[in-house]
Amino acid sequence: MRPKKSETTGEGDLFRARLDQIINPKHELVQLAGRIDWAWIDQEIAPLHSGNGRPGVETRFMIGLLLLKSIYRLSDEAVCERWVENPYFQFFTGEEFFQHEFPHERSGLSHWRKRLGDKLELLLAESLRVAHEAGALRSQDLKRVTVDTTVQPKAITFPTDAKLLHAAIKGLNRLASRHGVRLRQSYSRVAKAAAMMAGRYAHAKQFKRHQRQLRTLRSRLGRIIRDIRRKIEGQPALEEAFALPLGRASQIRSQQQRQRGWKLYSFHAPEVECIGKGKASAPYEFGVKASVVTTNRRAPGGQFVLHAKALPDNPYDGHTLGAVVDATEVLTGCVIERAYVDKGYRGHDAQNPRRVFISGQKRGVFGVIKRELKRRSAIEPVIGHMKTNGHLGRCYLKGRQGDAANVVLSAVGYNFRRILAWLKTLLLAILSALGRALAITSLAKAAC
């Protein structure tokens, strides 16, 4: 059910301290909270609520927590812990009095991310609106953009054959224990020792011994698969519960290191893909490809992210450009005049190909276009900041839905960090101007 609207009374309380009497009203988080249109966000999210049941958690509270988590690169647990001890966090989420305990469950953040889904782009659009209203972003900056792709790594270990086989054995044992399926033998200690020795033999380049340990792991995994299938035969509920895990385990057992075609790179995260971007430091990365669109020209508040989206199934960059440009225009409400891309977008499918300029292109590149094309590489530090200071560097959320949400929230957090820096700069400029005015006034009085 849609949550009730929280109303600020403005009255005091004998046993609780009002937040507006504790915090500094000039703090950047306080200024940002006053600029965000919380009522519009609540109105857009309202159709996602059910018409029945008890009232949900206030929209501003949960959206504020998601924004704080993205801005300060915190986990769900960490943002809840800091909320209890930080009055600015509490004021940002709409609280009137200082709270000494977290009022809701931490799992609410996970539920809200799943509920919002594609609506998370509303937060990205709101960040651009706030930046434009604060003067950090101009309308003309939205017309010329830079588009690039990167890899959002998943929170998994490097998928060697030994690690995958060992993970499948442990996963099936956990599932069997949970459902009360008693196995003939678990092979836990044998599999752990074999996986450890396989890594040592591979490091020592003793590949015959390494292959022997892999055969041991494969045979033990096969025994567990067959044992489970015998025990759950004729029980529809257990067969349904074990269908996907057994399928993944069979795939891991049958696949080879250098085989072509689809492979499984994680037992608990089957959506992980192997992506090679040609980097010397990381020839292969395991996660999902993500598209990022930024302003080409540096706005007064810096470069802002205009659009961000996960691209599952590892598509060719050029085949995604048309859809990404169209989605950016819908999000910003501004027609893109020029788009600058790297050589990975050759053979793109943009609707207006003459307005797309590729790095290294000579034909039609002169004057302003030549200068703007030189700024194409400025998107790289933006992606680096999203990975270092945001959550794009490693995704801990589950499934493809978690990958998509993490990309958008990383862009939202980056934009709001730029806005906070811009608000702090404005405050310092105002204070310095006031200081100069006071100094001139005092000098004039002294002269008189």
Side-chain angles (χ1 to χ4, degrees):
M1 188 175 177
R2 188 174 179 182
K4 297 180 181 179
K5 292 184 179 180
S6 58
E7 298 180 358
T8 303
T9 61
E11 300 178 356
D13 193 308
L14 181 62
F15 302 102
R16 295 185 297 176
R18 290 186 58 85
L19 287 173
D20 53 11
Q21 298 176 355
I22 300 175
I23 61 178
N24 178 15
K26 297 179 181 179
H27 192 273
E28 54 268 18
L29 270 182
V30 180
Q31 299 292 325
L32 180 61
R35 292 177 180 270
I36 295 176
D37 193 350
W38 301 103
W40 176 76
I41 296 175
D42 184 41
Q43 181 181 356
E44 293 293 324
I45 295 176
L48 301 178
H49 291 281
S50 173
N52 302 320
R54 66 183 179 87
V57 184
E58 294 85 355
T59 302
R60 177 172 177 177
F61 183 86
M62 299 308 300
I63 296 297
L65 280 181
L66 287 175
L67 293 180
L68 291 171
K69 167 184 164 65
S70 304
I71 292 171
Y72 294 101
R73 198 195 178 193
L74 301 172
S75 64
D76 291 355
E77 293 80 5
V79 72
C80 296
E81 291 174 0
R82 284 189 60 176
W83 185 92
V84 176
E85 62 189 23
N86 195 323
Y88 292 99
F89 277 27
Q90 297 188 17
F91 182 85
F92 188 79
T93 54
E95 293 294 330
E96 187 176 4
F97 298 95
F98 187 80
Q99 305 289 334
H100 297 277
E101 294 182 357
F102 194 72
H104 304 290
E105 291 292 333
R106 182 219 58 82
S107 58
L109 287 169
S110 302
H111 300 321
W112 270 74
R113 274 193 298 264
K114 294 177 183 178
R115 177 183 299 169
L116 290 174
D118 296 336
K119 291 285 187 178
L120 283 171
E121 290 191 349
L122 294 173
L123 303 181
L124 186 56
E126 180 64 13
S127 69
L128 297 176
R129 188 199 65 80
V130 173
H132 185 271
E133 185 183 88
L137 183 65
R138 299 164 297 191
S139 299
Q140 59 187 359
D141 298 325
L142 305 176
K143 299 180 180 179
R144 299 166 188 179
V145 301
T146 303
V147 187
D148 199 2
T149 59
T150 185
V151 179
Q152 176 183 248
K154 198 76 171 181
I156 64 169
T157 184
F158 192 88
T160 62
D161 289 343
K163 289 180 181 179
L164 286 174
L165 292 166
H166 187 212
I169 291 173
K170 291 194 298 182
L172 290 180
N173 279 320
R174 284 196 302 267
L175 196 62
S177 176
R178 187 184 310 158
H179 290 278
V181 178
R182 187 171 182 179
L183 300 179
R184 175 176 170 270
Q185 192 171 347
S186 66
Y187 301 104
S188 297
R189 287 179 293 179
V190 175
K192 181 178 180 180
M196 180 178 62
M197 294 307 298
R200 292 180 179 180
Y201 287 143
H203 180 71
K205 294 183 172 54
Q206 299 178 8
F207 296 113
K208 288 186 177 180
R209 293 179 174 177
H210 171 71
Q211 290 296 330
R212 188 185 308 148
Q213 299 300 325
L214 291 183
R215 286 195 297 271
T216 300
L217 287 168
R218 282 197 175 92
S219 64
R220 268 51 176 188
L221 179 58
R223 292 180 187 179
I224 293 176
I225 292 173
R226 293 189 295 272
D227 192 14
I228 290 176
R229 284 176 176 165
R230 285 194 300 267
K231 298 290 176 59
I232 67 175
E233 188 176 1
Q235 304 180 49
L238 289 178
E239 288 179 351
E240 183 180 357
F242 278 89
L244 284 177
L246 287 177
R248 294 175 193 171
S250 300
Q251 170 66 25
I252 289 173
R253 181 174 178 267
S254 62
Q255 67 188 17
Q256 299 296 324
Q257 181 180 6
R258 302 188 185 279
Q259 75 175 36
R260 288 193 170 273
W262 181 79
K263 289 181 66 176
L264 197 62
Y265 297 100
S266 174
F267 183 77
H268 73 278
E271 71 276 3
V272 171
E273 302 158 2
C274 179
I275 303 172
K277 298 285 284 184
K279 300 177 183 178
S281 59
Y284 299 101
E285 295 178 279
F286 300 92
V288 66
K289 184 179 285 189
S291 173
V292 179
V293 182
T294 65
T295 54
N296 179 265
R297 184 178 180 181
R298 191 183 188 280
Q303 276 190 286
F304 285 86
V305 179
L306 306 181
H307 182 263
K309 183 180 180 182
L311 303 173
D313 299 327
N314 191 14
Y316 173 63
D317 290 356
H319 296 165
T320 65
L321 184 60
V324 166
V325 170
D326 293 342
T328 306
E329 290 179 346
V330 171
L331 191 64
T332 60
C334 184
V335 178
I336 294 176
E337 295 180 354
R338 299 176 194 145
Y340 299 93
V341 297
D342 60 9
K343 294 181 180 179
Y345 286 87
R346 286 176 294 189
H348 55 79
D349 59 354
Q351 294 182 0
N352 193 354
R354 294 187 178 181
R355 295 290 88 192
V356 178
F357 298 92
I358 302 175
S359 179
Q361 179 178 338
K362 300 298 181 184
R363 180 178 297 178
V365 177
F366 53 86
V368 176
I369 297 177
K370 186 175 182 179
R371 291 195 297 271
E372 290 177 347
L373 187 58
K374 288 183 178 179
R375 281 196 53 82
R376 188 218 63 82
S377 59
I379 194 175
E380 303 296 345
V382 174
I383 295 174
H385 284 300
M386 290 174 66
K387 290 190 173 185
T388 304
N389 302 326
H391 289 283
L392 194 65
R394 175 157 287 197
C395 177
Y396 293 91
L397 305 183
K398 184 179 180 181
R400 287 191 173 182
Q401 188 178 6
D403 292 337
N406 195 68
V407 173
V408 177
L409 289 174
S410 299
V412 171
Y414 173 83
N415 283 351
F416 277 113
R417 282 194 297 273
R418 299 304 313 161
I419 294 171
L420 288 175
W422 174 253
L423 293 177
K424 184 180 287 188
T425 303
L426 287 181
L427 178 61
L428 292 176
I430 292 172
L431 292 177
S432 62
L434 289 175
R436 287 195 299 268
L438 290 175
I440 292 173
T441 304
S442 61
L443 288 175
K445 289 182 178 179
C448 293

